[in-house]
Amino acid sequence: MPSWLTRTLSWIAAALVGVVYGAAGTIAHSLMWGPVPVGLLVGAIACAALLVAVRSLTHDRGATVATAIGMIGMLLIISGPGAGGSVIVPNTPIGQVWIYLISAIALLVIAWPNLRRTPRGTPAATASVAQSEPDRGDAT
């Protein structure tokens, strides 16, 4: 199978998973347990965990972007007024926090640098090269 096809299919799958998490988190974000916004916390942790997992398992920003687009797209679609006039994400402080929190988490995970590749001139790369070479001593 061509690599472009597998990459495209993985992006589509990542977007669909993002849609599911975005819908679940958006529906559950308003759950309160006394003064504690349990739905907001659990939804944000779940969405962040999904984005981090996709980023770290695929090593592909494109898949992470597709997941975030699916997540935020579903949030935007179902946060508007529905056909009957009902609104899932009301214009309340918790609704605003949910919208901005998911967007910020997605941007943070997508923008996080790739730590696998260390540039050659950095001290970490120089130290690892120095440790891998055997000590030859002063053999004259």
Side-chain angles (χ1 to χ4, degrees):
M1 191 179 301
S3 67
W4 65 268
L5 182 61
T6 57
R7 185 172 238 184
T8 304
L9 290 174
S10 71
W11 289 354
I12 291 170
L16 291 175
V17 172
V19 163
V20 170
Y21 271 71
T26 302
I27 291 170
H29 86 279
S30 60
L31 177 68
M32 298 287 283
W33 190 25
V36 180
V38 175
L40 181 78
L41 295 173
V42 171
I45 290 170
C47 288
L50 174 68
L51 288 167
V52 168
V54 168
R55 175 75 193 270
S56 61
L57 291 174
T58 63
H59 302 291
D60 183 18
R61 282 184 210 258
T64 311
V65 169
T67 306
I69 287 172
M71 196 177 292
I72 295 170
M74 184 52 76
L75 178 131
L76 293 175
I77 288 171
I78 65 177
S79 65
S86 64
V87 177
I88 294 177
V89 182
N91 193 10
T92 62
I94 275 217
Q96 294 295 319
V97 167
W98 174 249
I99 291 171
Y100 292 119
L101 181 64
I102 294 304
S103 301
I105 289 170
L107 285 174
L108 180 68
V109 173
I110 292 167
W112 196 262
N114 189 357
L115 300 177
R116 257 188 342 159
R117 291 186 240 151
T118 307
R120 290 187 182 193
T122 61
T126 308
S128 67
V129 169
Q131 289 175 355
S132 66
E133 292 180 3
D135 186 23
R136 299 186 191 261
D138 275 340
T140 52

